[in-house]
Amino acid sequence: IKAPAPVAKHTLIETCLKKLVKKRLYGRPHVKQYLYDLYRRGCRPNTIRSNFGAIFLFLCHLKDSGKRHLETLEREDLGRFVEHEQDRGLKPNTVSTRLRALYAFLGYLAEKEIINAAVVKKKMHIKVPDALPKAIDPQDIKRLLAVTRKVRDRALILVLLRTGMRIGELLSAEISDVNLRENRIDIYEADKTRIGRVVYLSEDARRALKVWIKKRYCQTAYIFYGRAGKPLCYEAARAAFNKYVDKAGLSHTGYTLHCLRHTCASELLNAGMRLECVQQILGHRSIEMTRRYARLTDNTRREEYFKAMQIIERGDLDGHYRR
């Protein structure tokens, strides 16, 4: 398992605490205790960073509203912060994520009897839309691949498209994780769920990856690397993808790197793969997450609808709807 070095987490926490000092925000000792509690519980650096981000914004809001001590925090303060974030035009999912992070922090403070437990007793919930995942149209996939000529970028896009890997999982993957003989990549610990799994390479993804591995010139463990042999950063991968989206004339579609994962799941289900198998390939904890793709790709439902509509259009229905 490739775990980050402990020193890196300590450095991250100290960097977070310096931001509090720079902004002259109160509550630094409590934030420090909480972040180190997350560290001791084995949370990933990204988890620590995102939790601190929500706490930082909340403390900034409290300072601007005239609050001077966390101990005097009231439930209304949390409600006003939520309204403030909504007024900024943030998406419900973003506000909900920040609210969950805040409740975890405030729950910790309530448990330590630093704040009144009534603040977290009755939690607020943000209604988040249950939108369909956005998959890339098959014709658009052809146009995208037709203009992706650079060896590294073609391998990256095809592996994401055919395996359903999260971009973070692929960028942290190493050469030793790839088994071209068995057409597979082993993910020893997923970034998001921390659950290991195996994903499989289609023939076109395997060919593209094999060409890239032969062409690599940097002596680094990572499949896709940036400067000094470090993993390729997300911003660089996104910029490369967006370049090909623009080149293919698809700028208006709003396609993102994550759409490649959605497309993989949608196409597997459309090809008849069982929902449980797709769940394992995507690494979803709950099958309900995978079921969202079934709403997008259920050919049986489509066929049933048009079969019924033929009967309706022919006027072959019997009976009436009057009471």
Side-chain angles (χ1 to χ4, degrees):
I1 296 174
K2 301 181 285 292
V7 176
K9 285 189 181 179
H10 283 290
T11 305
L12 170 62
I13 292 173
E14 293 306 317
T15 302
C16 292
L17 297 175
K18 285 177 183 177
K19 288 185 70 175
L20 296 181
V21 174
K22 188 176 181 179
K23 276 282 188 177
R24 298 182 180 179
L25 300 176
Y26 58 81
R28 183 177 178 274
H30 303 316
V31 175
K32 181 178 181 179
Q33 290 174 12
Y34 177 65
L35 295 182
Y36 273 101
D37 182 68
L38 294 179
Y39 168 73
R40 286 188 290 270
R41 284 158 48 196
C43 290
R44 290 291 189 101
N46 281 345
T47 302
I48 295 173
R49 189 179 292 109
S50 63
N51 274 265
F52 173 75
I55 295 168
F56 179 78
L57 290 172
F58 181 58
L59 293 178
C60 286
H61 174 74
L62 290 180
K63 180 184 176 182
D64 293 342
S65 61
K67 278 279 181 180
R68 291 290 175 264
H69 302 285
L70 273 175
E71 290 78 2
T72 61
L73 191 68
E74 298 175 344
R75 192 172 185 275
E76 289 72 20
D77 295 317
L78 197 56
R80 282 191 285 269
F81 173 71
V82 169
E83 290 177 9
H84 176 263
E85 295 296 277
Q86 291 171 331
D87 290 343
R88 290 171 57 200
L90 298 182
K91 293 182 179 180
N93 194 44
T94 303
V95 179
S96 179
T97 300
R98 288 180 181 171
L99 186 59
R100 286 198 304 272
L102 275 181
Y103 270 126
F105 172 57
L106 298 178
Y108 173 84
L109 297 183
E111 192 177 290
K112 299 287 184 182
E113 298 183 348
I114 295 167
I115 65 170
N116 192 328
V119 174
V120 293
K121 190 173 183 181
K122 189 178 180 182
K123 294 182 179 180
M124 290 180 285
H125 295 281
I126 308 297
K127 189 172 180 61
V128 178
D130 186 16
L132 287 173
K134 186 171 185 176
I136 304 176
D137 186 83
Q139 293 303 316
D140 292 344
I141 284 289
K142 291 179 181 178
R143 291 170 63 181
L144 179 65
L145 293 178
V147 298
T148 308
R149 300 294 176 83
K150 192 175 178 180
V151 173
R152 184 202 68 178
D153 298 343
R154 187 172 182 82
L156 188 143
I157 289 174
L158 270 171
V159 170
L160 290 174
L161 178 64
R162 303 306 190 203
T163 65
M165 293 175 73
R166 299 178 180 91
I167 180 62
E169 293 169 346
L170 181 56
L171 295 182
S172 61
E174 298 183 359
I175 292 292
S176 58
D177 302 331
V178 180
N179 188 330
L180 291 177
R181 185 178 301 172
E182 297 183 12
N183 290 8
R184 59 186 274 175
I185 298 177
D186 298 331
I187 303 172
Y188 290 98
E189 184 183 354
D191 282 345
K192 191 171 183 180
T193 62
R194 307 200 74 171
I195 297 174
R197 71 184 193 280
V198 173
V199 295
Y200 300 97
L201 293 165
S202 62
E203 188 54 36
D204 56 353
R206 179 186 177 278
R207 283 197 306 268
L209 189 55
K210 186 176 181 180
V211 171
W212 166 240
I213 289 174
K214 284 185 177 180
K215 189 179 177 64
R216 290 165 78 255
Y217 58 86
C218 183
Q219 296 300 315
T220 178
Y222 299 103
I223 302 172
F224 298 100
Y225 53 85
R227 292 180 179 178
K230 294 181 179 180
L232 185 70
C233 66
Y234 172 75
E235 289 75 17
R238 182 180 61 183
F241 177 78
N242 289 342
K243 178 181 70 175
Y244 295 116
V245 168
D246 294 343
K247 197 172 181 181
L250 302 171
S251 308
H252 62 285
T253 58
Y255 292 144
T256 65
L257 268 174
H258 201 63
C259 291
L260 295 171
R261 176 172 162 85
H262 295 328
T263 306
C264 176
S266 302
E267 290 186 339
L268 289 175
L269 286 169
N270 248 342
M273 180 177 278
R274 289 184 295 112
L275 202 62
E276 294 81 2
C277 291
V278 177
Q279 178 193 1
Q280 294 298 319
I281 287 175
L282 294 182
H284 286 156
R285 283 185 181 274
S286 167
I287 199 166
E288 292 306 315
M289 288 292 293
T290 320
R291 208 178 296 280
R292 294 184 308 150
Y293 297 100
R295 298 206 309 264
L296 187 67
T297 61
D298 192 342
N299 284 333
T300 304
R301 183 170 60 235
R302 178 180 181 276
E303 291 167 5
E304 289 289 330
Y305 169 81
F306 285 110
K307 183 178 177 181
M309 194 53 65
Q310 285 178 357
I311 297 173
I312 294 169
E313 289 175 345
R314 287 199 306 264
D316 292 346
L317 291 178
D318 294 326
H320 57 79
Y321 304 108
R322 296 195 189 95
R323 289 184 178 275

